[in-house]
Amino acid sequence: MSENQPGGAPVPQPGPDAGPAQATPRGPDAVRPGGARRRRRISLGIQAAVFVAAIIAVLLAVDWQTVGESVFNFAAVAPMFPDIILIGFGNTLLYTATSFAVGLVGGIVLALMRMSAFPPYRWLATVYTEFFRGVPALLVFLAFGYGVPFAFGVQWPIPVVVMASLGLVSAAYISETLRAGLQAVPKGQYEAARSLGMPGWRAMVTIVIPQAFRLVLPPLTNEVILLTKDSSLVYVLGLAAHEFELTKFGRDGITALGAGLTPVLVAGLMYLIITVPLSLLARRFESRGAGRSRS
Amino acid sequence: MTNPSPASPAAPSVQASGVSITGLNKSFGSNHVLKGIDLTVAPGEVVCLIGPSGSGKSTLLRCVNLLEVPDSGTVTVGGFEATDEDVDLNAMRRHVGMVFQHFNLFPHLTVLENCTVAQVKVLHRGKAESADVAKANLERVGLAGMEGRYPDQLSGGQQQRVAIARALSMDPQLMLFDEPTSALDPETVGEVLAVMRRLAGVGMTMLVVTHEMSFAREVADRVVFMDGGVVVEQGPAAQVIGNPQQPRTQDFLARVLNPTDVEF
């Protein structure tokens, strides 16, 4: 902590005269100017020692042969390919993309309702948002996967169930993100646009929404990451082989292949292939958005 | 569109409109901000609104182009009865340029795009013509060559001058300035005032809310002192600032002009 505070370290001083004036607020360090630097060096040394000790302990304690057989047994999971990519990876992408599409459209509608001048729209949107942010996504899956067929006698195909369940849940989160983004654009932007003679819709489309879009890109990308992972919840429903996604492949692999945890590890790596680039993308949006977000 | 000559917008002639305000009232909740304001600005006249903060100057200015909707009273700008429910506000606002305290430039657009976006979207000018008009106005405010920059790459004074060029690019007949130098570093105040001075020199109608007393004294045809939501005193700049008649005006000017002499 203290390493990052320039005030704590003996910063190069502008000149000998500046010394006494700056010394007072630095307290004990002023007496012994090398104190802060020495303490920082000791702290770093302790951290390094703990790190090395932990690594040695892990190397000694772990039974590497067992780990090799049941976690990194990649030879034994060969039968998972190419289906885990062609079906599992593909279905995870499909479930994520369709539910994000539903969530985005629903989120836009809900955000507009939240900002409507007609109070019942606002109430409705608030109730919806609070409900779907407050219940577990798993429960929504059960409702659409088992509840709807029971109640109405219609059995939707699994991709539709996923699209509806995750889409409805994510719409609640996305609407809040969009609303925050629109409200984060300063009111003066809208006023400046109106004062140039733009109608309200034109001011929104040309001036406010493009700025809000930059602000919401990082959180929207994070929402896609969450959806990618939440699509695994579909495993609680009975799936046909062509509907399997990554988690289902990983789970079935545990019992079928005798490779211990390896199938789960493989599935996990597949998720990372999707989520890590998205995460990097979100970070790039963040740093780019920061440059031009203020007037 | 008929005259693509890039020189025309910078030409020192303005088709100016006047403003006529009668019986204007505006409240925010229980706060009665404007209490029956009457004010006229003649075409080509430069009027400075001065007064303590909270006196309603900015609200009055924002009522002129209906950014604030008055509770009662009328505002007439050029041929537009702005307070008429059926008036086309967007058409009216095309003729009224506004410059804000905090510039309100569009941060996602370049300097040039800031000055062309409303020309293209509102006046339906062609891109090339809009760019010509914008460049001429940027040159007019001393910012030729800055077209490709983004607002956050400019100093406060430069940003405010872009904001003026943006408003001028719509060929306004009236310019509203809402404390245009209050958010600026002291060293950039002068360049903005110089642009405004030149604008006044070519006959633009200007209504300026300002705390710059020397600017008001030098440039304004008339100074209006407001306090507590009413016009307390108005007249030629030299008279209102140099020889105020009302005690409230005298008190305010004493504090503004000699801030070190204030007794507590």
Side-chain angles (χ1 to χ4, degrees), chain A residues 111-123:
Chain A
L112 291 174
M113 286 171 72
R114 279 298 283 263
M115 293 186 297
S116 163
F118 186 57
Y121 281 148
R122 294 203 299 270
W123 301 332

Side-chain angles (χ1 to χ4, degrees), chain A residues 194-215:
Chain A
R194 294 307 302 271
S195 77
L196 288 165
M198 292 188 194
W201 66 269
R202 167 58 71 192
M204 289 301 288
V205 168
T206 306
I207 303 301
V208 177
I209 290 177
Q211 294 183 56
F213 185 67
R214 281 159 206 244
L215 294 173

Side-chain angles (χ1 to χ4, degrees), chain B residues 84-163:
Chain B
D84 182 348
E85 293 251 322
D86 298 325
V87 79
D88 182 351
L89 274 186
N90 299 319
M92 183 271 283
R93 287 180 177 137
R94 274 173 231 159
H95 302 290
V96 181
M98 180 143 189
V99 175
F100 299 85
Q101 180 178 355
H102 295 287
F103 330 137
N104 297 358
L105 291 181
F106 306 133
H108 61 302
L109 302 179
T110 63
V111 165
L112 187 71
E113 288 163 347
N114 264 278
C115 298
T116 57
V117 62
Q119 294 187 65
V120 173
K121 303 291 186 191
V122 176
L123 301 180
H124 304 293
R125 278 184 188 151
K127 288 225 157 126
E129 191 198 351
S130 300
D132 287 342
V133 172
K135 282 177 188 162
N137 280 306
L138 285 168
E139 194 178 338
R140 199 172 166 184
V141 300
L143 289 175
M146 298 283 194
E147 288 84 359
R149 304 271 187 103
Y150 281 90
D152 64 358
Q153 296 170 314
L154 304 179
S155 73
Q158 290 171 327
Q159 289 188 52
Q160 193 60 297
R161 286 188 282 152
V162 173

Side-chain angles (χ1 to χ4, degrees), chain A:
Chain A
M1 298 269 171
S2 66
E3 295 95 309
N4 295 328
Q5 290 172 2
V11 189
Q13 288 170 1
D17 300 335
Q22 289 192 350
T24 346
R26 269 200 264 123
D29 293 345
V31 184
R32 207 158 38 86
R37 190 187 294 175
R38 189 174 311 156
R39 248 183 287 137
R40 185 162 46 152
R41 217 181 290 144
I42 291 171
S43 163
L44 268 180
I46 293 172
Q47 290 178 45
V50 169
F51 181 74
V52 171
I55 287 191
I56 291 173
V58 167
L59 287 176
L60 291 178
V62 169
D63 176 353
W64 286 107
Q65 196 181 343
T66 310
V67 167
E69 281 166 12
S70 36
V71 180
F72 300 110
N73 194 351
F74 292 111
V77 297
M80 292 175 82
F81 293 88
D83 281 359
I84 189 172
I85 292 174
L86 295 179
I87 298 173
F89 194 82
N91 276 336
T92 292
L93 286 180
L94 175 76
Y95 297 161
T96 305
T98 52
S99 50
F100 182 68
V102 170
L104 191 61
V105 172
I108 290 171
V109 172
L110 283 167
L112 291 174
M113 286 171 72
R114 279 298 283 263
M115 293 186 297
S116 163
F118 186 57
Y121 281 148
R122 294 203 299 270
W123 301 332
L124 211 62
T126 307
V127 168
Y128 179 98
T129 306
E130 292 308 324
F131 181 82
F132 278 100
R133 288 201 307 176
V135 299
L138 188 57
L139 213 61
V140 182
F141 268 98
L142 292 175
F144 279 96
Y146 294 127
V148 168
F150 250 104
F152 303 106
V154 280
Q155 178 65 65
W156 290 342
I158 288 293
V160 175
V161 171
V162 180
M163 184 172 81
S165 317
L166 278 185
L168 290 182
V169 172
S170 69
Y173 289 95
I174 289 174
S175 75
E176 287 296 279
T177 301
L178 296 180
R179 190 170 66 105
L182 284 173
Q183 290 178 347
V185 176
K187 197 163 152 267
Q189 292 291 310
Y190 182 78
E191 288 185 345
R194 294 307 302 271
S195 77
L196 288 165
M198 292 188 194
W201 66 269
R202 167 58 71 192
M204 289 301 288
V205 168
T206 306
I207 303 301
V208 177
I209 290 177
Q211 294 183 56
F213 185 67
R214 281 159 206 244
L215 294 173
V216 300
L217 262 185
L220 278 188
T221 313
N222 285 330
E223 184 62 31
V224 177
I225 293 174
L226 290 176
L227 282 175
T228 308
K229 297 186 295 178
D230 281 354
S231 67
S232 65
L233 293 171
V234 73
Y235 87 94
V236 297
L237 308 177
L239 298 180
H242 68 278
E243 293 162 347
F244 283 15
E245 41 67 70
L246 287 173
T247 298
K248 181 69 176 163
F249 267 95
R251 191 170 178 238
D252 285 4
I254 297 175
T255 47
L257 298 172
L261 277 178
T262 315
V264 177
L265 180 69
V266 170
L269 291 175
M270 298 265 168
Y271 277 108
L272 291 176
I273 289 173
I274 302 173
T275 55
V276 169
L278 283 174
S279 184
L280 294 175
L281 198 65
R283 212 168 302 165
R284 260 197 61 196
F285 287 145
E286 247 162 58
S287 56
R288 200 187 300 172
R292 309 222 181 288
S293 59
R294 286 175 301 118
S295 61

